[in-house]
Amino acid sequence: MSSDHIVQTLERLGARTRDRFPAASFNNVVVELIDLAKRDRRRSQRLARPYLFLRAGIILAILLALAGLAYVGERVFNWAQDTGAAADVFTIFEGVEAGLNIVILAAVAIFTLTRVEERLKRSLALDDLHELRSIAHVIDMHQLTKDPTALLRLGPRTTASPERAMSEFELGRYLDYCAEALSLAGKIAALYAQSSRDPVVIASVNDIETLTSNMSAKIWQKINIVRDAAPGAVETPAE
């Protein structure tokens, strides 16, 4: 999946919403989603690359372990030659113990540096995904009061009823823009799944995709009601 195509589609959606609903606050949400997509594109690409300074630390730990083992081996060999055959067994045991200590310390250092890289990448990814989840809920809030059953005029308005000045056509387009924005939010989240093998990150991405899919399904139920209420008003293709 190309991140550039996602950004281009979002920018086109932003232009469409501005042209169709220039005064709608939903435009601000789309702009925020575009900015987040551009930032997440850079971050997902960065998270796919290794952290060179941490990888250099791992290589350094391996080299130090090899150098330590070579040093211990040389000392054991020289000590065995100097003290004679009677002390060889004790010398070898001491050398093996020192070598094991070096190997254990090197393994701990390598494991720690590897976990540090994993946790840094996970933290950055989860922060972005949390922000993306919040934007999805904001998009859902924008469509909550867009009730298509009001088009059927089934009852009188109350003093607390929200203002519904949209025509059948405009309501259908607005709901469609909301559904498209939610779908694109799920696609932005998927960028992290394709650049990460962290099970925690992948699980969070799956949660966001499920969330946006469920929200989009609810919106499409409203769109179908609009189409049933006034078929001729929404059948004409439009942006």
Side-chain angles (χ1 to χ4, degrees):
M1 179 169 49
S2 173
S3 57
D4 292 334
H5 291 165
I6 295 175
V7 173
Q8 291 171 5
T9 304
L10 272 170
E11 289 176 341
R12 185 181 179 188
L13 175 62
R16 290 158 57 197
T17 56
R18 285 193 303 272
D19 292 343
R20 185 73 65 186
F21 306 103
S25 58
F26 180 67
N27 290 311
N28 298 328
V29 181
V30 177
V31 170
E32 187 176 355
L33 190 59
I34 292 172
D35 294 339
L36 185 62
K38 292 179 179 178
R39 189 191 70 187
D40 286 1
R41 175 180 58 182
R42 296 190 297 268
R43 284 198 176 182
S44 62
Q45 292 172 349
R46 187 180 68 181
L47 293 177
R49 297 192 295 266
Y51 285 7
L52 296 180
F53 66 95
L54 289 175
R55 298 294 175 89
I58 294 174
I59 294 174
L60 179 61
I62 294 174
L63 293 177
L64 289 175
L66 293 176
L69 289 174
Y71 174 77
V72 170
E74 182 182 3
R75 290 293 301 271
V76 169
F77 180 76
N78 293 335
W79 192 8
Q81 285 186 334
D82 294 339
T83 57
D88 284 352
V89 175
F90 300 102
T91 304
I92 291 174
F93 276 129
E94 291 180 357
V96 169
E97 182 182 3
L100 286 175
N101 290 335
I102 293 174
V103 171
I104 291 172
L105 290 175
V108 170
I110 293 170
F111 177 78
T112 301
L113 291 174
T114 303
R115 295 289 292 175
V116 166
E117 179 177 358
E118 179 183 340
R119 290 182 178 181
L120 285 175
K121 290 183 176 182
R122 177 186 296 175
S123 177
L124 288 174
L126 292 181
D127 287 345
D128 291 344
L129 291 172
H130 176 73
E131 187 174 355
L132 194 58
R133 186 184 294 106
S134 299
I135 290 181
H137 283 289
V138 172
I139 296 172
D140 187 55
M141 287 289 294
H142 276 270
Q143 64 85 29
L144 280 180
T145 57
K146 304 302 184 290
D147 185 7
T149 59
L151 300 174
L152 302 177
R153 310 293 196 273
L154 298 178
R157 287 174 49 84
T158 67
T159 55
S161 296
E163 185 64 29
R164 295 187 174 95
M166 291 184 182
S167 65
E168 291 86 349
F169 176 81
E170 290 173 335
L171 181 58
R173 299 312 306 155
Y174 190 93
L175 292 172
D176 182 63
Y177 294 158
C178 289
E180 188 172 339
L182 285 170
S183 177
L184 289 169
K187 298 297 184 292
I188 296 172
L191 293 176
Y192 288 93
Q194 72 179 15
S195 61
S196 174
R197 296 295 180 268
D198 190 327
V200 177
V201 173
I202 293 175
S204 182
V205 169
N206 291 336
D207 289 343
I208 292 178
E209 290 183 322
T210 300
L211 174 68
T212 54
S213 296
N214 292 338
M215 289 178 175
S216 295
K218 292 190 300 182
I219 294 176
W220 276 103
Q221 289 177 353
K222 291 185 176 183
I223 293 175
N224 288 332
I225 294 175
V226 174
R227 289 175 176 174
D228 292 339
V234 293
E235 283 180 355
T236 303
E239 292 294 331

